[in-house]
Every structure is written in C-alpha cells, then in structure tokens.
Amino acid sequence: MKQALFSISLYRPLTVLILLLAGSSLFSVSRAADSTYYFRDYQIHISGNSATGGSVAVFKNNAFRNVHKFESEIESLAFVDFAGDKSVKIAARLYTGGAHCCFSIAIMDIINDSLTVLCTKDLANCDFVIKDLDKDGKQEIVTYDDRFAYEFTSFAESRFYISIYHFENNQLLPQNKSYRDFVYKDIERLKIEFEKLMQDGYTTDRGERASGFAPQAQAILAAIAGNYYSLGEERKGFSLIEKLYFGADKEQFTAYLKMKLSSNNTISYSDFLKLNK
C-alpha cells in the first residue's frame, strides 16, 4: 500500500508551512496519474488529467467494483488513520491545473465494495499537508485560508493565514483554537515580515519609495488579523492594526477586514473603497 503525506506545492503558502513544520516527516509524492494503490483487499486505480478530470476505480480480486469521477485531476492518494483508531480512510489530493488554482481534498472510504466520498473541501489557491501536529495519534489537515489573495497586491505578495482541520463525523471541522501555539508561530512569522518591510521603507510592488503604507503591508496585516480571528481573538488583531497602520485608508481597511473575516462577501477591496469613500 502506498502511503505518504502530501507534498508541498510550488506556492509560497505551503513553502512557509513546511518551514513551520521543520523536522517533521513530510516527503514528496510524485504525480500519481494512472497509478495503482492497494488498500485492504482492493486495488484502487486513478487516472485522468486536469483537462478531462480524474477517476478513481475500485477492483477486488481483479474484478471491477465501481468508479467515481472528479472534475479535477487526482494528483495523489494517501491512506490516513485520522482518528488514531485504525479506521483508515482514503484522502485524495485534487488539482484543477492552471497558474494558481485550485486545490481540494476528498476523503473517501470503500463501503460494501463501493467507493464512497465522505466529504470534500475546496482549498482554492492553497495546497495542504496531513500531519499529527501534537503527537496524539490523530492526523490534522493543515492548509491556508486565501480569502485575501490579490486583494491588496499581487498573488506573489499576498499573505494567507493558517487553517487546521480534523476529519470527524464525515466532516472537516476547523481546529485552530486547539492549536494556538502553531497559529501564534505563524503570527510571529508575519510580524517579522512586517518589521522588515518597515525597515525597507515601505517599498511598493514597483520598487519605488512610497509616502504611505505599501500594499504588502496591508497583505501582511490582513493575514495577521485572519490568524487572530481564527482563534476568536479578533480584538488583538485589530488592536495591532490600530497601532501599526497609518495609511490614509485606515478606517476603510479595518472595516473591510472585519467584513471579509466575518462573512463570505466576495467584494474586492478596490470596489469596497469606491463604495465607502
């Protein structure tokens, strides 16, 4: 049975995530299109690509049982004991292809010889890793929330905040509050980035000197606010912004972050500014 944790992607958030998990037993999984895995008494064959989508076919004793098709390519499978009770599930890493988007995870099981999808979650621009963060025998899914992608600056300069999940009762449940030290570590990393930006004189995306705050500063502070919000400590995040941010749009910037963190509103920051001059 092939069994592995998912690898980092080429995108900045997961590169940072690997650094935060330094010393852990993460390792790469090669692209798994047209690969066969062995699970219990079954053979699981995955095929397809980002253009056609992916398929997971189940065989038992070389006899076909059933197939499930996804719109995205299936880049790899992992076999994970999420609860530490030897009830292993199948985790699929899905990817649509393209410059930045989109990753998702599907958790599956084979029930009565039939592959069953228990839950899926769209992770947009962010890849993920599966890791036992607190060494309790249970596996966590660690990714990023990318709701601030492109909002203040380019994708490369955007900053995302940590999102940790448990697979329970066929759902992926947010768990940041149970891993505060891990989230605080990400906050400290972002604070260091912000301090360096200040020391560099608020350099803009074009490399010019700005009289006010650079878009990167907004991106970093948004991610810090997101981390604090995920812990139920949003006051700390907005108090930090009150202390550190002196851009002319301070009031609108703070209001926008509060709106985006508390709702699924998809309005962009530029449109928000137009509506709230």
Side-chain angles (χ1 to χ4, degrees), residues 122-267:
D122 179 16
L123 302 174
N125 294 288
C126 299
D127 202 338
F128 63 95
V129 294
I130 299 175
K131 177 65 181 174
D132 182 0
L133 292 178
D134 52 4
K135 311 299 182 184
D136 65 350
K138 299 179 182 180
Q139 302 291 325
E140 287 73 47
I141 297 167
V142 188
T143 182
Y144 276 79
D145 188 305
D146 77 334
R147 72 186 63 202
F148 295 120
Y150 299 104
E151 290 299 350
F152 311 107
T153 183
S154 66
F155 179 82
E157 294 294 340
S158 295
R159 298 294 185 272
F160 308 151
Y161 61 92
I162 290 286
S163 291
I164 302 169
Y165 296 91
H166 275 168
F167 175 71
E168 298 177 13
N169 299 319
N170 294 341
Q171 302 177 73
L172 290 181
L173 303 177
Q175 295 293 316
N176 277 27
K177 292 179 181 179
S178 297
Y179 297 91
R180 292 179 181 274
D181 289 346
F182 191 75
V183 179
Y184 289 147
K185 188 172 183 179
D186 194 50
I187 291 172
E188 290 307 311
R189 174 187 64 82
L190 291 164
K191 286 181 178 179
I192 291 171
E193 285 195 28
F194 185 84
E195 290 173 2
K196 185 177 186 304
L197 189 66
M198 293 179 66
Q199 293 169 0
D200 290 344
Y202 309 118
T203 304
T204 68
D205 286 334
R206 297 182 299 277
E208 302 167 351
R209 293 288 172 175
S211 59
F213 274 68
Q216 297 99 314
Q218 292 177 307
I220 294 169
L221 290 173
I224 291 174
N227 271 323
Y228 277 121
Y229 189 89
S230 74
L231 297 176
E233 300 176 0
E234 54 267 32
R235 288 186 179 180
K236 289 184 179 180
F238 293 117
S239 292
L240 190 67
I241 291 172
E242 178 66 27
K243 177 181 177 182
L244 298 178
Y245 189 73
F246 299 100
D249 60 343
K250 184 174 184 175
E251 182 178 342
Q252 295 97 324
F253 177 58
T254 302
Y256 181 73
L257 295 185
K258 290 180 178 179
M259 180 197 71
K260 288 284 282 190
L261 289 170
S262 62
S263 71
N264 293 320
N265 197 313
T266 59
I267 187 173

Side-chain angles (χ1 to χ4, degrees), residues 113-129:
D113 285 353
S114 179
L115 185 72
T116 301
V117 177
L118 303 176
C119 75
T120 61
K121 186 169 182 61
D122 179 16
L123 302 174
N125 294 288
C126 299
D127 202 338
F128 63 95
V129 294

Side-chain angles (χ1 to χ4, degrees), residues 35-47:
S35 295
T36 299
Y37 296 77
Y38 298 90
F39 176 64
R40 299 177 190 154
D41 297 327
Y42 301 94
Q43 301 86 46
I44 302 174
H45 184 75
I46 64 176
S47 59

